[in-house]
Amino acid sequence: MLLDKASSKGKFALKILAVFLICAADMLFAAWVIYAEKQKGTLLSVRAASSHLPQLFAQNLLTSAVPAFLVFLALVFCKKRFVQAMQLTVPKGKTRKIAVLLLFLLLIVTAAALIVKPDKITVLYSLFYYTVFIAFCEEFVVRGVCVGLLRDEPAAVRYLVPNILFAAMHVFAYADFGAITASYLVRFVCSQMAGLVAMGCLFQYLKEKSGFLWIPVLVHAVLDYTAVFGF
């Protein structure tokens, strides 16, 4: 009995460690790339898509190296079960209608942005950027891989651990990849963490309720893509 409990605690600790390392690797590698580019004066914004499209795509691809590597690992280990194991099958029934509605919302936002914004290339690249490099990558890493590792754990663990880490992963972005000071960290924890954790839990609830990763991906994409109107 004691050995079983020790073994169970050991497995739990390993799962938590794995989730922490995955989120830390994703956050720190992307931050390292962005800070390095910023220091060299070569960091590109999505707003520069029309004039630096190939370079911007390469930069975004590099910052998404950890999610891409995780997709590769999942393909290797799951093989033919990849789509099913990662809950990436095409939604059915009522969930499919919701997915279609979300896709329609993305199209509406895109059409509106194309009407009011003169830079059409930036609008279209932003659709790809926020849907693939932001929404899909974050959802695959956190709500896909990390939550998947904790799928047998109690709901409190399954929701709080990955989504607290999800919130922490935004610490550099919310500082606009500037200096990370003690005062900034206090402000971030006090004013941003709770909202980010709640948003992450909402995305996870949508995934677990629907049974498909595409629903939180699309909701995430719709919410983030509206930033295009601020360009």
Side-chain angles (χ1 to χ4, degrees), residues 45-225:
S45 166
V46 67
R47 302 182 184 205
S50 59
S51 53
H52 299 92
L53 187 56
Q55 300 95 317
L56 179 61
F57 177 78
Q59 198 172 85
N60 294 154
L61 194 61
L62 183 58
T63 57
S64 301
V66 171
F69 181 65
L70 290 173
V71 170
F72 172 76
L73 284 182
L75 281 167
V76 170
F77 284 103
C78 297
K79 297 179 182 178
K80 293 181 179 180
R81 292 186 60 258
F82 169 78
V83 173
Q84 183 179 1
M86 301 310 301
Q87 295 182 285
L88 291 170
T89 52
V90 176
K92 298 179 181 178
K94 187 182 294 185
T95 308
R96 178 179 291 181
K97 294 178 182 178
I98 294 171
V100 170
L101 175 62
L102 291 168
L103 284 169
F104 186 62
L105 286 175
L106 277 175
L107 291 176
I108 289 175
V109 174
T110 302
L114 286 171
I115 291 170
V116 302
K117 294 292 180 179
D119 191 345
K120 314 303 181 188
I121 293 176
T122 295
V123 169
L124 294 175
Y125 184 77
S126 295
L127 172 62
F128 180 81
Y129 171 77
Y130 284 111
T131 303
V132 178
F133 287 124
I134 300 297
F136 179 79
C137 285
E138 288 187 2
E139 294 306 315
F140 186 86
V141 171
V142 181
R143 259 67 64 176
V145 176
C146 293
V147 171
L149 288 171
L150 300 172
R151 61 183 175 275
D152 297 326
E153 302 303 326
V157 173
R158 198 173 66 250
Y159 270 80
L160 290 179
V161 171
N163 289 305
I164 288 173
L165 291 171
F166 166 75
M169 288 167 70
H170 290 77
V171 67
F172 295 109
Y174 274 58
D176 197 25
F177 296 95
I180 304 297
T181 63
S183 60
Y184 164 73
L185 288 175
V186 171
R187 290 197 306 273
F188 177 78
V189 170
C190 293
S191 63
Q192 306 292 345
M193 280 287 287
L196 286 166
V197 171
M199 186 61 69
C201 289
L202 172 62
F203 291 149
Q204 185 171 333
Y205 174 79
L206 292 173
K207 179 208 168 189
E208 295 192 1
K209 189 71 174 177
S210 67
F212 300 97
L213 190 64
W214 293 120
I215 300 302
V217 167
L218 290 171
V219 172
H220 196 154
V222 170
L223 293 175
D224 282 8
Y225 182 43

